[in-house]
Amino acid sequence: VRSGRFWYFADNPLSFAVEGGNYLAMADLLHDIIGEDHVPKRIGLVRIEDVHPLTPPESITTAARMLQSRGIPFLIALVPYYTFPEEGTFIAMHERPEFVAAIKDAVARGATVVLHGVTHQRTGETTADYEFWDTTRDGPIEGRTDARVRARLARGIEECIRNGVYPLIWDTNRYRVRVIG
C-alpha cells in the first residue's frame, strides 16, 4: 500500500523467494518505490517442471505450442529416467519414443532443456524426493562423492544425447519449504 512517499508491506517479501510468493510483486514495484523513472521491460520465462518419461506427450506439445504462439520463452525441466522402486518401475526416455518426439518438438518451438536431475529421487518415486539431498539429516546424502555425482549426471546426459535431446543447463532438484518456529 502506498500513502504519499511511504510504502507499507504486510511482510518482508525479500526474506524468501518462492513460487507464488510476494518477492516478484516487490521486484515489479521496485522502480516505483525508489522513484526511478524507466521504460517498463517485462523479462521472464515459463518453466515446465518435472517432465519425465511418464509425462503425457500431448501435454508437452500443447504447452509448447501455446507458449510459442505467445512468444513466451520457456524451459523444460527434464528428468530422463522415471523410477518408482516400491513398485519396481524404471522407465528411460528411449522407451517412450512419443515422449522424446514431444521434447524435440518443444525444442523446435523454442524450449531450452534443463537436466533436472537424473531420476529426481533417491528412495521414493521420481519427483517426490531429492536426488542429492538427505532431508532427514538436512545435508548431502551419506557417501556422496564428486565422482558419484559426476557418474550419475553423465548417465542422465548420455540418455538425453542417445535420444537427440541436448540439455543446456543442469539444475538439481533442491527446493523445500522449511518451516521455522
Side-chain angles (χ1 to χ4, degrees), residues 1 3 15 18 35 43 51 70 74 77 81 83 93 108 115 123-124 132 134 144 153 158 165 171:
V1 175
S3 177
S15 64
V18 295
I43 300 174
V51 176
R70 295 185 175 145
F74 63 105
Y81 293 100
T83 187
M93 283 176 59
L115 183 65
T123 59
F132 301 102
D134 183 342
R144 185 206 69 82
L153 292 175
E158 288 165 5
V165 174
D171 174 41

PDB file of all heavy atoms in Angstrom, residues 1 3 15 18 35 43 51 70 74 77 81 83 93 108 115 123-124 132 134 144 153 158 165 171:
ATOM      1  N   VAL A   1       0.853  -1.166   0.000  1.00  0.00           N
ATOM      2  CA  VAL A   1       0.000   0.000   0.000  1.00  0.00           C
ATOM      3  C   VAL A   1       0.896   1.224   0.000  1.00  0.00           C
ATOM      4  O   VAL A   1       1.902   1.265   0.716  1.00  0.00           O
ATOM      5  CB  VAL A   1      -0.919  -0.001   1.244  1.00  0.00           C
ATOM      6  CG1 VAL A   1      -1.722   1.268   1.305  1.00  0.00           C
ATOM      7  CG2 VAL A   1      -1.807  -1.218   1.249  1.00  0.00           C
ATOM      8  N   SER A   3       1.112   5.415   0.540  1.00  0.00           N
ATOM      9  CA  SER A   3       0.489   6.618   1.066  1.00  0.00           C
ATOM     10  C   SER A   3       1.516   7.731   0.974  1.00  0.00           C
ATOM     11  O   SER A   3       2.480   7.774   1.747  1.00  0.00           O
ATOM     12  CB  SER A   3       0.055   6.407   2.519  1.00  0.00           C
ATOM     13  OG  SER A   3      -0.487   7.613   3.033  1.00  0.00           O
ATOM     14  N   SER A  15      12.516 -11.643   2.285  1.00  0.00           N
ATOM     15  CA  SER A  15      13.039 -12.663   3.192  1.00  0.00           C
ATOM     16  C   SER A  15      13.127 -14.037   2.540  1.00  0.00           C
ATOM     17  O   SER A  15      13.894 -14.873   2.965  1.00  0.00           O
ATOM     18  CB  SER A  15      12.193 -12.739   4.462  1.00  0.00           C
ATOM     19  OG  SER A  15      10.881 -13.169   4.148  1.00  0.00           O
ATOM     20  N   VAL A  18       9.818 -17.548  -3.245  1.00  0.00           N
ATOM     21  CA  VAL A  18       9.215 -18.829  -3.572  1.00  0.00           C
ATOM     22  C   VAL A  18       8.140 -18.614  -4.630  1.00  0.00           C
ATOM     23  O   VAL A  18       7.598 -17.520  -4.773  1.00  0.00           O
ATOM     24  CB  VAL A  18       8.589 -19.517  -2.339  1.00  0.00           C
ATOM     25  CG1 VAL A  18       9.648 -19.885  -1.320  1.00  0.00           C
ATOM     26  CG2 VAL A  18       7.509 -18.675  -1.723  1.00  0.00           C
ATOM     27  N   GLY A  35      11.487   5.608  -6.886  1.00  0.00           N
ATOM     28  CA  GLY A  35      11.284   6.805  -7.700  1.00  0.00           C
ATOM     29  C   GLY A  35      12.156   6.855  -8.938  1.00  0.00           C
ATOM     30  O   GLY A  35      12.505   7.932  -9.416  1.00  0.00           O
ATOM     31  N   ILE A  43      10.649  -9.147 -18.429  1.00  0.00           N
ATOM     32  CA  ILE A  43      11.554 -10.248 -18.736  1.00  0.00           C
ATOM     33  C   ILE A  43      11.131 -11.428 -17.859  1.00  0.00           C
ATOM     34  O   ILE A  43      11.008 -11.295 -16.657  1.00  0.00           O
ATOM     35  CB  ILE A  43      13.017  -9.882 -18.427  1.00  0.00           C
ATOM     36  CG1 ILE A  43      13.438  -8.684 -19.258  1.00  0.00           C
ATOM     37  CG2 ILE A  43      13.931 -11.066 -18.684  1.00  0.00           C
ATOM     38  CD1 ILE A  43      14.814  -8.168 -18.924  1.00  0.00           C
ATOM     39  N   VAL A  51       9.332 -32.836 -15.903  1.00  0.00           N
ATOM     40  CA  VAL A  51       8.938 -33.588 -17.099  1.00  0.00           C
ATOM     41  C   VAL A  51       9.774 -34.865 -17.145  1.00  0.00           C
ATOM     42  O   VAL A  51      11.004 -34.818 -17.129  1.00  0.00           O
ATOM     43  CB  VAL A  51       9.160 -32.736 -18.371  1.00  0.00           C
ATOM     44  CG1 VAL A  51       8.852 -33.530 -19.617  1.00  0.00           C
ATOM     45  CG2 VAL A  51       8.313 -31.462 -18.296  1.00  0.00           C
ATOM     46  N   ARG A  70       2.550 -17.351 -28.246  1.00  0.00           N
ATOM     47  CA  ARG A  70       2.503 -16.091 -27.495  1.00  0.00           C
ATOM     48  C   ARG A  70       3.883 -15.456 -27.347  1.00  0.00           C
ATOM     49  O   ARG A  70       4.023 -14.440 -26.667  1.00  0.00           O
ATOM     50  CB  ARG A  70       1.879 -16.327 -26.135  1.00  0.00           C
ATOM     51  CG  ARG A  70       0.419 -16.735 -26.279  1.00  0.00           C
ATOM     52  CD  ARG A  70      -0.276 -16.862 -24.973  1.00  0.00           C
ATOM     53  NE  ARG A  70      -1.676 -17.126 -25.239  1.00  0.00           N
ATOM     54  CZ  ARG A  70      -2.436 -17.897 -24.507  1.00  0.00           C
ATOM     55  NH1 ARG A  70      -1.942 -18.474 -23.438  1.00  0.00           N
ATOM     56  NH2 ARG A  70      -3.698 -18.095 -24.807  1.00  0.00           N
ATOM     57  N   PHE A  74      10.568 -20.468 -22.847  1.00  0.00           N
ATOM     58  CA  PHE A  74      10.272 -21.483 -21.845  1.00  0.00           C
ATOM     59  C   PHE A  74      11.366 -22.527 -21.736  1.00  0.00           C
ATOM     60  O   PHE A  74      12.143 -22.748 -22.651  1.00  0.00           O
ATOM     61  CB  PHE A  74       8.903 -22.124 -22.094  1.00  0.00           C
ATOM     62  CG  PHE A  74       8.754 -22.880 -23.391  1.00  0.00           C
ATOM     63  CD1 PHE A  74       8.746 -24.274 -23.407  1.00  0.00           C
ATOM     64  CD2 PHE A  74       8.580 -22.206 -24.591  1.00  0.00           C
ATOM     65  CE1 PHE A  74       8.575 -24.974 -24.597  1.00  0.00           C
ATOM     66  CE2 PHE A  74       8.402 -22.898 -25.785  1.00  0.00           C
ATOM     67  CZ  PHE A  74       8.409 -24.280 -25.788  1.00  0.00           C
ATOM     68  N   ALA A  77      12.143 -28.666 -17.630  1.00  0.00           N
ATOM     69  CA  ALA A  77      12.960 -29.286 -16.582  1.00  0.00           C
ATOM     70  C   ALA A  77      12.815 -30.798 -16.741  1.00  0.00           C
ATOM     71  O   ALA A  77      11.868 -31.406 -16.256  1.00  0.00           O
ATOM     72  CB  ALA A  77      12.507 -28.821 -15.205  1.00  0.00           C
ATOM     73  N   TYR A  81      14.941 -40.271 -16.542  1.00  0.00           N
ATOM     74  CA  TYR A  81      14.528 -41.596 -16.069  1.00  0.00           C
ATOM     75  C   TYR A  81      13.416 -41.442 -15.040  1.00  0.00           C
ATOM     76  O   TYR A  81      13.553 -40.679 -14.085  1.00  0.00           O
ATOM     77  CB  TYR A  81      15.687 -42.331 -15.389  1.00  0.00           C
ATOM     78  CG  TYR A  81      16.808 -42.710 -16.304  1.00  0.00           C
ATOM     79  CD1 TYR A  81      17.966 -41.947 -16.366  1.00  0.00           C
ATOM     80  CD2 TYR A  81      16.733 -43.853 -17.099  1.00  0.00           C
ATOM     81  CE1 TYR A  81      19.015 -42.303 -17.197  1.00  0.00           C
ATOM     82  CE2 TYR A  81      17.782 -44.218 -17.933  1.00  0.00           C
ATOM     83  CZ  TYR A  81      18.914 -43.434 -17.981  1.00  0.00           C
ATOM     84  OH  TYR A  81      19.950 -43.787 -18.792  1.00  0.00           O
ATOM     85  N   THR A  83      11.463 -43.517 -12.129  1.00  0.00           N
ATOM     86  CA  THR A  83      11.589 -44.724 -11.326  1.00  0.00           C
ATOM     87  C   THR A  83      10.688 -44.651 -10.107  1.00  0.00           C
ATOM     88  O   THR A  83      10.424 -43.568  -9.583  1.00  0.00           O
ATOM     89  CB  THR A  83      13.062 -44.971 -10.907  1.00  0.00           C
ATOM     90  OG1 THR A  83      13.169 -46.234 -10.269  1.00  0.00           O
ATOM     91  CG2 THR A  83      13.600 -43.888 -10.015  1.00  0.00           C
ATOM     92  N   MET A  93      13.931 -42.613 -21.101  1.00  0.00           N
ATOM     93  CA  MET A  93      13.401 -41.838 -22.231  1.00  0.00           C
ATOM     94  C   MET A  93      13.281 -42.673 -23.499  1.00  0.00           C
ATOM     95  O   MET A  93      12.277 -42.598 -24.197  1.00  0.00           O
ATOM     96  CB  MET A  93      14.318 -40.639 -22.529  1.00  0.00           C
ATOM     97  CG  MET A  93      14.203 -39.487 -21.598  1.00  0.00           C
ATOM     98  SD  MET A  93      15.417 -38.179 -21.968  1.00  0.00           S
ATOM     99  CE  MET A  93      15.025 -37.744 -23.645  1.00  0.00           C
ATOM    100  N   ALA A 108      12.123 -27.469 -30.898  1.00  0.00           N
ATOM    101  CA  ALA A 108      11.948 -26.804 -32.197  1.00  0.00           C
ATOM    102  C   ALA A 108      11.070 -25.559 -32.059  1.00  0.00           C
ATOM    103  O   ALA A 108      11.186 -24.619 -32.851  1.00  0.00           O
ATOM    104  CB  ALA A 108      11.329 -27.775 -33.209  1.00  0.00           C
ATOM    105  N   LEU A 115      18.501 -30.222 -17.581  1.00  0.00           N
ATOM    106  CA  LEU A 115      18.588 -31.535 -16.942  1.00  0.00           C
ATOM    107  C   LEU A 115      18.266 -31.328 -15.470  1.00  0.00           C
ATOM    108  O   LEU A 115      19.045 -30.747 -14.719  1.00  0.00           O
ATOM    109  CB  LEU A 115      19.976 -32.148 -17.115  1.00  0.00           C
ATOM    110  CG  LEU A 115      20.141 -33.555 -16.532  1.00  0.00           C
ATOM    111  CD1 LEU A 115      19.252 -34.561 -17.266  1.00  0.00           C
ATOM    112  CD2 LEU A 115      21.593 -33.985 -16.607  1.00  0.00           C
ATOM    113  N   THR A 123      15.008 -42.338  -2.890  1.00  0.00           N
ATOM    114  CA  THR A 123      14.422 -43.584  -2.395  1.00  0.00           C
ATOM    115  C   THR A 123      12.983 -43.765  -2.858  1.00  0.00           C
ATOM    116  O   THR A 123      12.510 -44.876  -2.951  1.00  0.00           O
ATOM    117  CB  THR A 123      14.435 -43.633  -0.851  1.00  0.00           C
ATOM    118  OG1 THR A 123      13.694 -42.522  -0.348  1.00  0.00           O
ATOM    119  CG2 THR A 123      15.857 -43.600  -0.320  1.00  0.00           C
ATOM    120  N   GLY A 124      12.291 -42.690  -3.138  1.00  0.00           N
ATOM    121  CA  GLY A 124      10.873 -42.760  -3.495  1.00  0.00           C
ATOM    122  C   GLY A 124      10.640 -42.691  -4.994  1.00  0.00           C
ATOM    123  O   GLY A 124      11.513 -43.005  -5.799  1.00  0.00           O
ATOM    124  N   PHE A 132      20.001 -35.672  -4.531  1.00  0.00           N
ATOM    125  CA  PHE A 132      21.329 -35.447  -3.976  1.00  0.00           C
ATOM    126  C   PHE A 132      21.286 -34.871  -2.558  1.00  0.00           C
ATOM    127  O   PHE A 132      22.273 -34.355  -2.077  1.00  0.00           O
ATOM    128  CB  PHE A 132      22.123 -34.500  -4.882  1.00  0.00           C
ATOM    129  CG  PHE A 132      22.282 -35.017  -6.285  1.00  0.00           C
ATOM    130  CD1 PHE A 132      21.500 -34.530  -7.326  1.00  0.00           C
ATOM    131  CD2 PHE A 132      23.207 -36.015  -6.571  1.00  0.00           C
ATOM    132  CE1 PHE A 132      21.653 -35.014  -8.617  1.00  0.00           C
ATOM    133  CE2 PHE A 132      23.361 -36.505  -7.861  1.00  0.00           C
ATOM    134  CZ  PHE A 132      22.578 -35.998  -8.878  1.00  0.00           C
ATOM    135  N   ASP A 134      19.693 -35.380   1.561  1.00  0.00           N
ATOM    136  CA  ASP A 134      19.036 -36.200   2.575  1.00  0.00           C
ATOM    137  C   ASP A 134      18.223 -35.269   3.470  1.00  0.00           C
ATOM    138  O   ASP A 134      18.788 -34.518   4.275  1.00  0.00           O
ATOM    139  CB  ASP A 134      20.095 -36.950   3.390  1.00  0.00           C
ATOM    140  CG  ASP A 134      19.498 -37.884   4.420  1.00  0.00           C
ATOM    141  OD1 ASP A 134      18.305 -37.727   4.771  1.00  0.00           O
ATOM    142  OD2 ASP A 134      20.228 -38.777   4.876  1.00  0.00           O
ATOM    143  N   ARG A 144      28.096 -39.517  -0.460  1.00  0.00           N
ATOM    144  CA  ARG A 144      28.175 -38.724  -1.681  1.00  0.00           C
ATOM    145  C   ARG A 144      29.622 -38.330  -1.944  1.00  0.00           C
ATOM    146  O   ARG A 144      30.337 -37.903  -1.053  1.00  0.00           O
ATOM    147  CB  ARG A 144      27.341 -37.443  -1.562  1.00  0.00           C
ATOM    148  CG  ARG A 144      27.322 -36.657  -2.889  1.00  0.00           C
ATOM    149  CD  ARG A 144      27.095 -35.172  -2.681  1.00  0.00           C
ATOM    150  NE  ARG A 144      28.199 -34.487  -2.053  1.00  0.00           N
ATOM    151  CZ  ARG A 144      29.291 -34.042  -2.688  1.00  0.00           C
ATOM    152  NH1 ARG A 144      29.438 -34.245  -3.973  1.00  0.00           N
ATOM    153  NH2 ARG A 144      30.236 -33.413  -2.038  1.00  0.00           N
ATOM    154  N   LEU A 153      25.268 -37.934 -13.202  1.00  0.00           N
ATOM    155  CA  LEU A 153      24.915 -36.905 -14.192  1.00  0.00           C
ATOM    156  C   LEU A 153      25.292 -37.355 -15.600  1.00  0.00           C
ATOM    157  O   LEU A 153      24.534 -37.124 -16.556  1.00  0.00           O
ATOM    158  CB  LEU A 153      25.585 -35.579 -13.853  1.00  0.00           C
ATOM    159  CG  LEU A 153      25.079 -34.909 -12.579  1.00  0.00           C
ATOM    160  CD1 LEU A 153      25.883 -33.663 -12.276  1.00  0.00           C
ATOM    161  CD2 LEU A 153      23.596 -34.589 -12.680  1.00  0.00           C
ATOM    162  N   GLU A 158      23.967 -38.857 -21.031  1.00  0.00           N
ATOM    163  CA  GLU A 158      24.088 -39.871 -22.094  1.00  0.00           C
ATOM    164  C   GLU A 158      22.724 -40.334 -22.591  1.00  0.00           C
ATOM    165  O   GLU A 158      22.524 -40.522 -23.792  1.00  0.00           O
ATOM    166  CB  GLU A 158      24.910 -41.067 -21.597  1.00  0.00           C
ATOM    167  CG  GLU A 158      26.379 -40.750 -21.455  1.00  0.00           C
ATOM    168  CD  GLU A 158      27.145 -41.778 -20.633  1.00  0.00           C
ATOM    169  OE1 GLU A 158      26.557 -42.813 -20.233  1.00  0.00           O
ATOM    170  OE2 GLU A 158      28.340 -41.533 -20.369  1.00  0.00           O
ATOM    171  N   VAL A 165      18.416 -35.295 -27.582  1.00  0.00           N
ATOM    172  CA  VAL A 165      17.982 -34.177 -26.740  1.00  0.00           C
ATOM    173  C   VAL A 165      19.221 -33.664 -26.014  1.00  0.00           C
ATOM    174  O   VAL A 165      19.962 -34.453 -25.421  1.00  0.00           O
ATOM    175  CB  VAL A 165      16.899 -34.637 -25.734  1.00  0.00           C
ATOM    176  CG1 VAL A 165      16.553 -33.525 -24.760  1.00  0.00           C
ATOM    177  CG2 VAL A 165      15.663 -35.129 -26.476  1.00  0.00           C
ATOM    178  N   ASP A 171      20.178 -28.474 -13.385  1.00  0.00           N
ATOM    179  CA  ASP A 171      19.559 -27.881 -12.212  1.00  0.00           C
ATOM    180  C   ASP A 171      19.096 -29.022 -11.320  1.00  0.00           C
ATOM    181  O   ASP A 171      18.209 -29.777 -11.689  1.00  0.00           O
ATOM    182  CB  ASP A 171      18.364 -27.028 -12.656  1.00  0.00           C
ATOM    183  CG  ASP A 171      17.568 -26.499 -11.494  1.00  0.00           C
ATOM    184  OD1 ASP A 171      18.179 -26.083 -10.495  1.00  0.00           O
ATOM    185  OD2 ASP A 171      16.332 -26.498 -11.589  1.00  0.00           O
TER     186      ASP A 171
END
